[in-house]
Amino acid sequence: MRPFSVCLLLLYLGGPALAQGEPPGVLPPEAEPPAMDDLAPLPESEIESGARAAIPDEDTSQNEVDALFDALAQAPSTAAARPIVAKIQRKWMQSGSATVDLLMSRAGTAMKAKDNALALDLLDMVTRLAPDYAEGWNRRATVYYLTQDFGRSIADIERTLALEPRHWGAMSGLGIIMRRLKRDKDAMRIFEEVLKIHPASENARKAIDDLAAKSAGSPT
């Protein structure tokens, strides 16, 4: 599978605003503030929702992860994809460090309590202790999104995708940011990339349908 060229895309997305001297990632005045409801469930939420029984406790090798992504690309339905998604997300959550796992757990609790300052402090430690742990960057990107710091959120998404180019959650987060910034064409392209990796993603499919309907209803 060809990895999503996120670095090139981010350069493309940031270029016009930077060239014009505009601050990156600024919401239009009429926009609603970001909320957790905008985002797909966090990985442990997927696991807790019933997929845990389908996930083996042993570590999964890279070959097995690649096989899971191949299976995900061929899943015939959302129901068939769900246990595959859970297995991949369980792999993403494995930091290999008890300390990092504890920090991630506490950051998740802080996010649910809407204590974003504490969550950021904890995730800053995660990214320092485990700079090659993609989910730490992805989780911090989520908190930056919730605090409307889209520039830093995009930077952390870029780091996430450099470490795991198939991270459909990070890609979806970028698509959500583009929608909020009213960059619908960019958002459409990103969600289409998500579906190449995770064709059964209901969130990506709905986003594409909404964007297509909005485009069809726009005056020409």
Side-chain angles (χ1 to χ4, degrees):
M1 179 184 298
R2 179 179 60 84
F4 180 52
S5 183
V6 68
C7 294
L8 292 176
L9 178 58
L10 291 175
L11 286 172
Y12 167 76
L13 293 173
L18 294 176
Q20 297 171 19
E22 299 174 4
V26 177
L27 277 173
E30 70 276 13
E32 294 283 336
M36 286 288 287
D37 289 343
D38 298 332
L39 304 167
L42 299 177
E44 64 268 27
S45 298
E46 287 284 340
I47 293 167
E48 289 168 1
S49 68
R52 181 179 296 275
I55 303 170
D57 291 332
E58 66 271 11
D59 289 342
T60 307
S61 72
Q62 188 58 50
N63 286 341
E64 288 173 320
V65 172
D66 291 341
L68 286 170
F69 273 105
D70 289 342
L72 182 63
Q74 299 172 34
S77 66
T78 300
R82 191 169 294 118
I84 304 170
V85 166
K87 290 178 183 180
I88 295 171
Q89 290 183 320
R90 178 64 174 268
K91 174 62 177 176
W92 285 346
M93 290 300 295
Q94 293 174 356
S95 72
S97 164
T99 299
V100 171
D101 289 347
L102 179 60
L103 290 169
M104 286 287 287
S105 176
R106 290 181 175 175
T109 299
M111 290 170 67
K112 291 173 184 176
K114 299 184 179 181
D115 190 345
N116 292 322
L118 175 59
L120 279 176
D121 286 343
L122 293 165
L123 293 168
D124 284 346
M125 287 189 279
V126 168
T127 57
R128 286 197 298 270
L129 290 171
D132 293 332
Y133 176 47
E135 195 57 38
W137 297 99
N138 180 57
R139 189 62 56 87
R140 196 174 72 171
T142 300
V143 181
Y144 279 137
Y145 169 79
L146 294 171
T147 59
Q148 303 189 46
D149 193 341
F150 292 161
R152 285 191 174 91
S153 183
I154 290 172
D156 278 2
I157 289 170
E158 180 177 13
R159 181 62 179 164
T160 303
L161 292 173
L163 293 165
E164 176 45 88
R166 298 170 294 189
H167 200 302
W168 68 80
M171 292 165 62
S172 295
L174 181 60
I176 290 168
I177 290 174
M178 291 302 106
R179 287 188 72 179
R180 284 204 168 269
L181 298 179
K182 297 189 179 300
R183 302 180 72 157
D184 290 351
K185 290 182 180 179
D186 293 324
M188 177 73 83
R189 289 171 53 207
I190 293 165
F191 285 117
E192 287 171 347
E193 291 289 341
V194 171
L195 288 181
K196 291 178 183 178
I197 297 169
H198 183 359
S201 172
E202 292 180 334
N203 290 331
R205 183 69 62 189
K206 183 178 186 304
I208 287 173
D209 289 346
D210 289 348
L211 288 164
K214 180 179 177 181
S215 177
S218 299
T220 56

